[in-house]
Coordinates of all heavy atoms in Angstrom, one line a residue:
M810 N 89.6 71.1 -0.9 CA 88.4 70.2 -1.0 C 87.2 71.1 -0.7 O 87.2 71.8 0.3 CB 88.6 69.1 0.0 CG 87.3 68.3 0.2 SD 86.6 67.6 -1.2 CE 87.9 66.6 -1.9
A811 N 86.2 71.1 -1.6 CA 85.0 72.0 -1.4 C 83.8 71.2 -1.8 O 83.8 70.5 -2.8 CB 85.2 73.3 -2.1
N812 N 82.7 71.4 -1.1 CA 81.4 70.8 -1.4 C 80.5 71.9 -1.8 O 80.0 72.7 -1.1 CB 80.9 70.1 -0.1 CG 79.5 69.5 -0.4 OD1 79.1 69.4 -1.5 ND2 78.9 69.1 0.7
A813 N 80.2 71.9 -3.1 CA 79.2 72.9 -3.7 C 77.8 72.3 -3.8 O 77.0 72.9 -4.4 CB 79.7 73.3 -5.1
L814 N 77.6 71.2 -3.1 CA 76.2 70.6 -3.1 C 75.4 71.2 -2.0 O 75.8 71.8 -1.1 CB 76.3 69.1 -2.9 CG 77.2 68.3 -4.0 CD1 77.3 66.9 -3.6 CD2 76.6 68.5 -5.4
D815 N 74.1 70.9 -2.1 CA 73.1 71.3 -1.1 C 72.9 70.2 0.0 O 72.0 70.3 0.8 CB 71.7 71.7 -1.7 CG 71.8 72.9 -2.6 OD1 72.6 73.8 -2.3 OD2 71.0 73.0 -3.5
E816 N 73.8 69.3 0.0 CA 73.7 68.2 1.0 C 75.1 67.8 1.4 O 76.1 68.1 0.8 CB 73.0 66.9 0.3 CG 73.8 66.4 -0.9 CD 73.1 65.4 -1.7 OE1 72.1 65.8 -2.4 OE2 73.5 64.2 -1.6
S817 N 75.2 67.1 2.6 CA 76.5 66.7 3.1 C 77.0 65.6 2.2 O 76.2 64.8 1.5 CB 76.3 66.1 4.5 OG 75.9 67.1 5.4
V818 N 78.3 65.4 2.2 CA 78.9 64.4 1.3 C 80.2 63.9 2.0 O 80.9 64.6 2.7 CB 79.2 65.0 -0.1 CG1 80.3 66.1 -0.1 CG2 79.6 63.9 -1.1
R819 N 80.4 62.6 1.7 CA 81.7 62.0 2.2 C 82.5 61.7 0.9 O 82.0 61.1 0.0 CB 81.4 60.7 2.9 CG 82.7 60.0 3.4 CD 82.4 59.2 4.7 NE 83.6 58.5 5.1 CZ 84.5 59.0 5.8 NH1 84.5 60.3 6.2 NH2 85.6 58.4 6.2
V820 N 83.8 62.2 0.9 CA 84.6 62.2 -0.2 C 86.0 61.6 0.1 O 86.5 61.9 1.2 CB 84.9 63.6 -0.8 CG1 85.7 63.6 -2.0 CG2 83.5 64.3 -1.0
T821 N 86.5 60.7 -0.7 CA 87.9 60.2 -0.6 C 88.7 60.7 -1.7 O 88.3 60.6 -2.9 CB 87.9 58.7 -0.5 OG1 87.1 58.3 0.6 CG2 89.3 58.2 -0.3
V822 N 89.8 61.3 -1.4 CA 90.8 61.8 -2.4 C 92.1 61.0 -2.4 O 92.6 60.9 -1.3 CB 91.0 63.3 -2.2 CG1 92.1 63.8 -3.3 CG2 89.8 64.1 -2.3
T823 N 92.5 60.5 -3.5 CA 93.8 59.8 -3.6 C 94.6 60.5 -4.7 O 94.2 60.7 -5.8 CB 93.6 58.3 -3.9 OG1 92.7 57.8 -3.0 CG2 94.9 57.6 -3.8
A824 N 95.9 60.9 -4.3 CA 96.8 61.5 -5.3 C 97.9 60.4 -5.6 O 98.5 59.9 -4.7 CB 97.4 62.8 -4.8
L825 N 98.2 60.2 -6.9 CA 99.1 59.1 -7.3 C 100.2 59.7 -8.2 O 99.9 60.5 -9.0 CB 98.3 58.0 -8.0 CG 97.1 57.4 -7.3 CD1 96.2 56.8 -8.3 CD2 97.6 56.5 -6.3
R826 N 101.4 59.1 -8.1 CA 102.4 59.4 -9.0 C 103.0 58.0 -9.3 O 103.6 57.4 -8.5 CB 103.5 60.3 -8.5 CG 104.7 60.3 -9.4 CD 105.4 61.4 -9.7 NE 105.4 62.7 -10.1 CZ 104.9 63.2 -11.3 NH1 104.4 62.4 -12.2 NH2 105.1 64.4 -11.6
G827 N 102.7 57.5 -10.6 CA 103.1 56.1 -10.9 C 102.4 55.2 -10.0 O 101.2 55.3 -9.8
S828 N 103.1 54.3 -9.4 CA 102.5 53.3 -8.5 C 102.5 53.8 -7.1 O 102.1 53.0 -6.2 CB 103.1 51.9 -8.6 OG 104.5 52.0 -8.3
S829 N 103.0 55.0 -6.8 CA 103.1 55.5 -5.4 C 101.9 56.4 -5.1 O 101.5 57.2 -5.9 CB 104.4 56.3 -5.3 OG 105.5 55.5 -5.5
E830 N 101.4 56.2 -3.9 CA 100.3 57.0 -3.4 C 101.0 58.2 -2.6 O 101.6 57.9 -1.6 CB 99.4 56.2 -2.5 CG 98.2 57.0 -2.0 CD 97.2 56.2 -1.2 OE1 96.7 55.2 -1.7 OE2 96.9 56.6 -0.1
L831 N 100.8 59.4 -3.1 CA 101.3 60.6 -2.4 C 100.4 61.1 -1.3 O 100.8 61.7 -0.3 CB 101.5 61.7 -3.4 CG 102.5 61.5 -4.5 CD1 102.5 62.7 -5.5 CD2 103.9 61.2 -4.0
F832 N 99.1 60.8 -1.4 CA 98.1 61.3 -0.5 C 96.9 60.5 -0.6 O 96.5 60.0 -1.7 CB 97.8 62.8 -0.9 CG 96.8 63.4 0.0 CD1 97.1 63.9 1.2 CD2 95.4 63.5 -0.5 CE1 96.1 64.5 2.0 CE2 94.5 64.1 0.3 CZ 94.8 64.6 1.5
G833 N 96.2 60.3 0.5 CA 94.9 59.6 0.6 C 94.2 60.1 1.9 O 94.8 60.0 3.0
H834 N 93.0 60.6 1.7 CA 92.3 61.1 2.9 C 90.8 61.1 2.5 O 90.4 61.4 1.4 CB 92.8 62.5 3.3 CG 92.2 63.0 4.5 ND1 92.5 62.5 5.8 CD2 91.2 63.9 4.8 CE1 91.8 63.1 6.7 NE2 91.0 64.0 6.1
S835 N 90.0 60.9 3.6 CA 88.5 61.0 3.4 C 88.0 62.2 4.2 O 88.5 62.5 5.3 CB 87.8 59.7 4.0 OG 88.2 58.6 3.2
Y836 N 87.1 62.9 3.6 CA 86.5 64.1 4.1 C 85.0 63.9 4.3 O 84.3 63.3 3.5 CB 86.7 65.3 3.2 CG 88.1 65.6 2.9 CD1 88.8 65.0 1.9 CD2 88.8 66.6 3.6 CE1 90.1 65.3 1.6 CE2 90.1 66.9 3.3 CZ 90.7 66.3 2.3 OH 92.0 66.6 2.0
S837 N 84.4 64.5 5.4 CA 83.0 64.6 5.5 C 82.7 66.1 5.5 O 83.1 66.8 6.4 CB 82.5 64.0 6.9 OG 82.7 62.6 6.8
L838 N 82.0 66.5 4.5 CA 81.8 67.9 4.3 C 80.3 68.3 4.3 O 79.4 67.6 3.7 CB 82.3 68.4 2.9 CG 83.8 68.1 2.7 CD1 84.2 68.4 1.2 CD2 84.6 69.0 3.6
E839 N 80.0 69.3 5.1 CA 78.6 69.9 5.1 C 78.3 70.6 3.8 O 79.2 71.0 3.1 CB 78.5 70.8 6.3 CG 78.7 70.1 7.7 CD 77.6 69.1 8.0 OE1 76.4 69.4 7.7 OE2 78.0 68.0 8.4
P840 N 77.1 70.9 3.5 CA 76.7 71.6 2.3 C 77.4 73.0 2.2 O 77.5 73.7 3.2 CB 75.2 71.8 2.4 CG 74.7 70.8 3.4 CD 75.9 70.5 4.3
G841 N 78.1 73.3 1.1 CA 78.7 74.5 0.9 C 80.0 74.7 1.7 O 80.5 75.8 1.7
K842 N 80.5 73.7 2.3 CA 81.7 73.9 3.2 C 82.9 73.2 2.5 O 82.8 72.4 1.5 CB 81.5 73.2 4.5 CG 80.4 73.8 5.3 CD 80.7 75.2 5.7 CE 79.6 75.8 6.6 NZ 79.8 77.1 7.0
G843 N 84.1 73.6 3.0 CA 85.4 73.0 2.4 C 86.3 72.6 3.6 O 86.0 72.8 4.7
D844 N 87.4 72.0 3.2 CA 88.4 71.5 4.2 C 89.7 71.6 3.5 O 90.0 70.9 2.6 CB 88.0 70.1 4.6 CG 88.9 69.6 5.7 OD1 90.1 70.2 5.9 OD2 88.6 68.7 6.4
E845 N 90.6 72.4 4.1 CA 92.0 72.6 3.6 C 93.0 72.1 4.6 O 94.1 72.6 4.6 CB 92.2 74.0 3.1 CG 91.4 74.4 2.0 CD 91.7 75.9 1.5 OE1 92.6 76.5 2.0 OE2 90.9 76.3 0.6
S846 N 92.6 71.3 5.5 CA 93.4 70.9 6.7 C 94.5 69.9 6.3 O 95.4 69.8 7.1 CB 92.5 70.3 7.8 OG 91.9 69.1 7.4
K847 N 94.4 69.2 5.2 CA 95.4 68.2 4.9 C 96.2 68.6 3.7 O 95.7 69.2 2.7 CB 94.7 66.9 4.5 CG 93.9 66.3 5.6 CD 94.7 65.9 6.8 CE 93.7 65.4 7.9 NZ 94.4 65.3 9.2
S848 N 97.5 68.3 3.7 CA 98.4 68.7 2.6 C 99.4 67.5 2.3 O 99.5 66.6 3.2 CB 99.1 70.0 2.8 OG 99.9 69.9 3.9
F849 N 100.1 67.6 1.2 CA 101.1 66.6 1.0 C 102.2 67.2 0.1 O 102.1 68.3 -0.4 CB 100.5 65.4 0.3 CG 99.9 65.7 -1.1 CD1 100.6 65.6 -2.2 CD2 98.5 66.1 -1.1 CE1 100.0 65.8 -3.5 CE2 98.0 66.3 -2.4 CZ 98.7 66.2 -3.5
V850 N 103.3 66.5 0.1 CA 104.5 67.0 -0.7 C 104.6 66.2 -2.0 O 104.4 65.0 -1.9 CB 105.8 66.8 0.2 CG1 107.0 67.2 -0.6 CG2 105.7 67.6 1.5
G851 N 104.9 66.9 -3.0 CA 105.0 66.2 -4.3 C 103.9 66.6 -5.3 O 102.9 67.1 -4.9
T852 N 104.1 66.3 -6.5 CA 103.1 66.6 -7.6 C 102.6 65.3 -8.1 O 103.4 64.6 -8.7 CB 103.7 67.5 -8.7 OG1 104.3 68.7 -8.1 CG2 102.7 67.9 -9.7
P853 N 101.3 65.1 -8.0 CA 100.8 63.8 -8.5 C 100.6 63.9 -10.0 O 100.6 64.9 -10.6 CB 99.4 63.8 -7.8 CG 99.0 65.2 -7.6 CD 100.3 65.9 -7.3
A854 N 100.5 62.7 -10.6 CA 100.3 62.6 -12.0 C 98.8 62.3 -12.2 O 98.2 62.6 -13.3 CB 101.1 61.4 -12.6
K855 N 98.1 61.7 -11.2 CA 96.7 61.4 -11.3 C 96.1 61.7 -10.0 O 96.7 61.5 -8.9 CB 96.4 60.0 -11.7 CG 96.9 59.6 -13.1 CD 96.3 58.2 -13.5 CE 96.7 57.9 -14.9 NZ 96.2 58.7 -15.9
V856 N 94.8 62.1 -10.0 CA 94.0 62.4 -8.8 C 92.7 61.6 -8.9 O 92.0 61.8 -9.9 CB 93.8 63.9 -8.5 CG1 92.9 64.1 -7.3 CG2 95.1 64.6 -8.4
R857 N 92.4 60.8 -7.9 CA 91.2 60.0 -8.0 C 90.3 60.5 -6.8 O 90.7 60.7 -5.7 CB 91.4 58.5 -7.8 CG 90.1 57.7 -7.8 CD 90.4 56.2 -7.8 NE 91.2 55.8 -6.6 CZ 92.4 55.2 -6.7 NH1 92.9 54.9 -7.9 NH2 93.0 54.9 -5.6
V858 N 89.0 60.8 -7.2 CA 88.0 61.3 -6.2 C 86.8 60.4 -6.2 O 86.3 60.1 -7.3 CB 87.6 62.8 -6.6 CG1 86.6 63.3 -5.6 CG2 88.8 63.7 -6.6
S859 N 86.5 59.9 -5.0 CA 85.3 59.0 -4.9 C 84.4 59.7 -3.9 O 84.8 60.1 -2.8 CB 85.7 57.6 -4.4 OG 86.6 57.0 -5.3
I860 N 83.1 59.7 -4.3 CA 82.1 60.2 -3.3 C 81.1 59.1 -2.9 O 81.0 58.1 -3.6 CB 81.4 61.5 -3.8 CG1 80.6 61.2 -5.1 CG2 82.4 62.6 -4.0 CD1 79.8 62.4 -5.6
Q861 N 80.4 59.4 -1.8 CA 79.6 58.3 -1.2 C 78.6 57.7 -2.0 O 78.2 56.5 -1.8 CB 79.0 58.9 0.1 CG 77.9 59.9 -0.2 CD 77.5 60.8 1.0 OE1 78.2 60.8 1.9 NE2 76.4 61.4 0.9
N862 N 78.1 58.4 -3.1 CA 77.0 57.8 -3.9 C 77.6 56.9 -5.0 O 76.8 56.4 -5.8 CB 76.2 58.9 -4.5 CG 76.9 59.7 -5.6 OD1 78.1 59.4 -5.9 ND2 76.3 60.7 -6.1
G863 N 78.9 56.6 -4.9 CA 79.5 55.7 -5.9 C 80.1 56.3 -7.1 O 80.8 55.6 -7.8
R864 N 80.0 57.6 -7.2 CA 80.7 58.3 -8.4 C 82.2 58.4 -8.1 O 82.6 58.7 -7.0 CB 80.2 59.7 -8.6 CG 78.9 59.8 -9.3 CD 78.6 61.2 -9.8 NE 78.8 62.2 -8.8 CZ 78.7 63.5 -9.0 NH1 78.4 63.9 -10.2 NH2 79.0 64.4 -8.1
T865 N 83.0 58.0 -9.0 CA 84.4 58.1 -8.9 C 85.0 58.6 -10.2 O 84.5 58.2 -11.3 CB 85.1 56.7 -8.7 OG1 84.6 56.2 -7.4 CG2 86.6 56.8 -8.6
V866 N 85.9 59.6 -10.1 CA 86.6 60.1 -11.3 C 88.1 60.0 -11.0 O 88.5 60.2 -9.9 CB 86.2 61.5 -11.7 CG1 84.7 61.6 -12.0 CG2 86.6 62.5 -10.6
T867 N 88.8 59.7 -12.1 CA 90.3 59.8 -12.0 C 90.7 60.7 -13.1 O 90.3 60.6 -14.3 CB 90.9 58.4 -12.2 OG1 90.4 57.5 -11.2 CG2 92.4 58.5 -12.1
R868 N 91.5 61.7 -12.8 CA 91.9 62.7 -13.8 C 93.5 62.8 -13.8 O 94.1 62.7 -12.7 CB 91.4 64.1 -13.4 CG 89.9 64.2 -13.4 CD 89.4 64.7 -14.7 NE 88.0 65.2 -14.6 CZ 86.9 64.4 -14.6 NH1 87.0 63.1 -14.7 NH2 85.7 65.0 -14.5
D869 N 94.0 63.0 -15.0 CA 95.4 63.3 -15.1 C 95.6 64.7 -14.5 O 94.7 65.6 -14.6 CB 95.9 63.4 -16.6 CG 95.9 62.0 -17.2 OD1 96.1 61.0 -16.4 OD2 95.8 61.9 -18.4
Y870 N 96.7 64.9 -13.8 CA 96.9 66.2 -13.1 C 98.3 66.7 -13.6 O 99.3 66.0 -13.7 CB 97.0 66.0 -11.6 CG 97.3 67.2 -10.8 CD1 96.3 68.1 -10.5 CD2 98.6 67.5 -10.4 CE1 96.5 69.3 -9.8 CE2 98.8 68.6 -9.7 CZ 97.8 69.5 -9.4 OH 98.1 70.7 -8.7
S871 N 98.3 68.0 -14.1 CA 99.5 68.6 -14.5 C 99.6 70.0 -14.0 O 98.6 70.6 -13.7 CB 99.7 68.5 -16.0 OG 98.6 69.2 -16.6
V872 N 100.8 70.5 -14.0 CA 101.0 71.9 -13.5 C 101.9 72.6 -14.6 O 102.9 72.1 -15.0 CB 101.8 71.9 -12.2 CG1 102.1 73.3 -11.7 CG2 100.9 71.1 -11.1
P873 N 101.5 73.8 -15.0 CA 102.3 74.5 -16.0 C 103.6 74.9 -15.3 O 103.7 75.2 -14.1 CB 101.5 75.8 -16.3 CG 100.2 75.7 -15.4 CD 100.2 74.5 -14.7
V874 N 104.7 75.0 -16.1 CA 106.0 75.4 -15.6 C 105.9 76.7 -14.9 O 106.6 76.9 -13.9 CB 107.0 75.4 -16.8 CG1 108.3 75.9 -16.4 CG2 107.1 74.0 -17.4
S875 N 105.1 77.6 -15.4 CA 105.1 79.0 -14.8 C 104.4 79.0 -13.4 O 104.4 80.0 -12.7 CB 104.3 79.9 -15.7 OG 103.0 79.4 -15.9
C876 N 103.8 77.9 -13.0 CA 103.1 77.8 -11.7 C 104.1 77.6 -10.5 O 104.8 76.6 -10.5 CB 102.1 76.7 -11.7 SG 101.1 76.7 -10.2
E877 N 104.2 78.6 -9.6 CA 105.2 78.5 -8.6 C 104.7 77.7 -7.4 O 105.5 77.2 -6.7 CB 105.6 79.9 -8.1 CG 106.4 80.7 -9.2 CD 106.8 82.0 -8.8 OE1 106.8 82.3 -7.6 OE2 107.1 82.8 -9.7
S878 N 103.4 77.7 -7.1 CA 103.0 77.0 -5.9 C 101.6 76.3 -6.2 O 100.6 76.8 -5.8 CB 102.8 78.0 -4.7 OG 101.9 79.0 -5.0
P879 N 101.7 75.2 -6.9 CA 100.5 74.5 -7.3 C 99.8 73.9 -6.1 O 100.4 73.5 -5.1 CB 101.0 73.4 -8.2 CG 102.4 73.2 -7.8 CD 102.9 74.5 -7.4
E880 N 98.5 73.7 -6.2 CA 97.7 73.1 -5.2 C 96.7 72.1 -5.9 O 96.4 72.4 -7.1 CB 96.8 74.1 -4.4 CG 97.6 75.1 -3.7 CD 96.6 76.2 -3.1 OE1 95.4 76.2 -3.4 OE2 97.1 77.0 -2.3
V881 N 96.3 71.1 -5.3 CA 95.3 70.2 -5.9 C 94.0 70.7 -5.3 O 93.7 70.7 -4.1 CB 95.5 68.7 -5.5 CG1 94.3 67.9 -6.0 CG2 96.8 68.2 -6.1
N882 N 93.1 71.3 -6.1 CA 91.8 71.8 -5.7 C 90.7 70.9 -6.2 O 90.7 70.6 -7.4 CB 91.6 73.2 -6.2 CG 92.5 74.2 -5.6 OD1 92.8 74.1 -4.4 ND2 93.0 75.1 -6.4
V883 N 89.9 70.4 -5.3 CA 88.8 69.5 -5.7 C 87.5 70.1 -5.3 O 87.3 70.6 -4.1 CB 88.9 68.1 -5.0 CG1 87.7 67.2 -5.3 CG2 90.2 67.4 -5.4
T884 N 86.5 70.2 -6.2 CA 85.2 70.8 -5.9 C 84.2 69.8 -6.4 O 84.2 69.4 -7.5 CB 85.0 72.1 -6.6 OG1 86.0 73.0 -6.3 CG2 83.7 72.8 -6.2
I885 N 83.3 69.4 -5.4 CA 82.2 68.5 -5.8 C 81.0 69.4 -6.2 O 80.4 70.1 -5.4 CB 81.8 67.7 -4.6 CG1 83.0 67.0 -4.0 CG2 80.7 66.7 -5.0 CD1 83.7 66.1 -4.9
E886 N 80.7 69.4 -7.5 CA 79.5 70.1 -8.1 C 78.4 69.1 -8.3 O 78.6 67.9 -8.3 CB 80.0 70.7 -9.4 CG 81.1 71.7 -9.4 CD 80.7 73.1 -9.1 OE1 79.5 73.3 -9.3 OE2 81.5 73.9 -8.7
P887 N 77.2 69.7 -8.5 CA 76.0 68.8 -8.8 C 76.2 67.9 -10.0 O 75.8 66.7 -9.9 CB 74.9 69.7 -9.0 CG 75.2 71.0 -8.2 CD 76.7 71.1 -8.4
D888 N 76.8 68.3 -11.0 CA 76.9 67.6 -12.3 C 78.3 67.1 -12.6 O 78.5 66.4 -13.6 CB 76.4 68.4 -13.5 CG 75.0 68.7 -13.3 OD1 74.2 67.9 -12.7 OD2 74.6 69.8 -13.8
E889 N 79.3 67.5 -11.8 CA 80.7 67.0 -12.1 C 81.6 67.2 -10.8 O 81.2 67.8 -9.8 CB 81.3 67.8 -13.2 CG 81.5 69.3 -13.0 CD 82.0 70.0 -14.2 OE1 82.9 69.4 -14.9 OE2 81.6 71.1 -14.5
I890 N 82.7 66.6 -10.9 CA 83.8 66.7 -9.9 C 84.9 67.5 -10.6 O 85.5 67.0 -11.6 CB 84.2 65.3 -9.4 CG1 83.0 64.6 -8.7 CG2 85.4 65.5 -8.4 CD1 83.3 63.2 -8.4
L891 N 85.3 68.6 -10.1 CA 86.3 69.4 -10.7 C 87.6 69.2 -9.9 O 87.7 69.2 -8.7 CB 86.0 70.9 -10.6 CG 84.7 71.4 -11.3 CD1 84.4 72.8 -11.0 CD2 84.8 71.2 -12.8
I892 N 88.7 69.0 -10.7 CA 90.0 68.8 -10.1 C 90.9 69.8 -10.9 O 91.1 69.7 -12.1 CB 90.6 67.4 -10.3 CG1 89.6 66.4 -9.6 CG2 92.0 67.3 -9.7 CD1 89.9 65.0 -9.9
T893 N 91.5 70.8 -10.2 CA 92.3 71.8 -10.8 C 93.6 72.0 -10.0 O 93.7 71.6 -8.9 CB 91.5 73.2 -10.9 OG1 91.2 73.6 -9.6 CG2 90.3 73.1 -11.7
N894 N 94.5 72.7 -10.7 CA 95.8 72.9 -10.1 C 96.0 74.2 -9.3 O 97.0 74.4 -8.7 CB 97.0 72.8 -11.1 CG 96.9 73.8 -12.2 OD1 96.4 74.9 -12.0 ND2 97.4 73.5 -13.4
G895 N 95.0 75.0 -9.3 CA 95.0 76.2 -8.5 C 95.9 77.3 -9.0 O 96.0 78.4 -8.4
C896 N 96.5 77.1 -10.2 CA 97.3 78.2 -10.8 C 96.5 79.1 -11.6 O 95.6 78.7 -12.3 CB 98.4 77.6 -11.6 SG 99.6 76.6 -10.7
V897 N 96.8 80.4 -11.5 CA 96.1 81.4 -12.3 C 96.8 81.6 -13.6 O 98.0 81.9 -13.6 CB 95.9 82.7 -11.5 CG1 95.3 83.8 -12.4 CG2 95.2 82.5 -10.2
S898 N 96.2 81.5 -14.7 CA 96.8 81.8 -16.0 C 96.4 83.1 -16.5 O 95.3 83.5 -16.3 CB 96.5 80.7 -17.0 OG 95.1 80.6 -17.2
S899 N 97.4 83.8 -17.1 CA 97.1 85.2 -17.6 C 97.1 85.3 -19.0 O 97.4 84.4 -19.7 CB 98.1 86.2 -17.0 OG 99.3 85.7 -16.9

């Protein structure tokens, strides 16, 4: 979870697989700061990110077979919310 904004932000992240919630946590992030203190087991099919100003995005989440240790990476940008799997493709 990373905040690339010039202001503090409160963010809630929910990771879902079918009707099961694998992870749900709220973060308060200072400008330019991140938080990697929370983790979960399992690979979600969808990730929902809600920020304090009312913006919410839900993205399908997938991991390539070649990825040995996927992570859910969320970055709050000024114009978008990025959700990636953390795998490097060559």
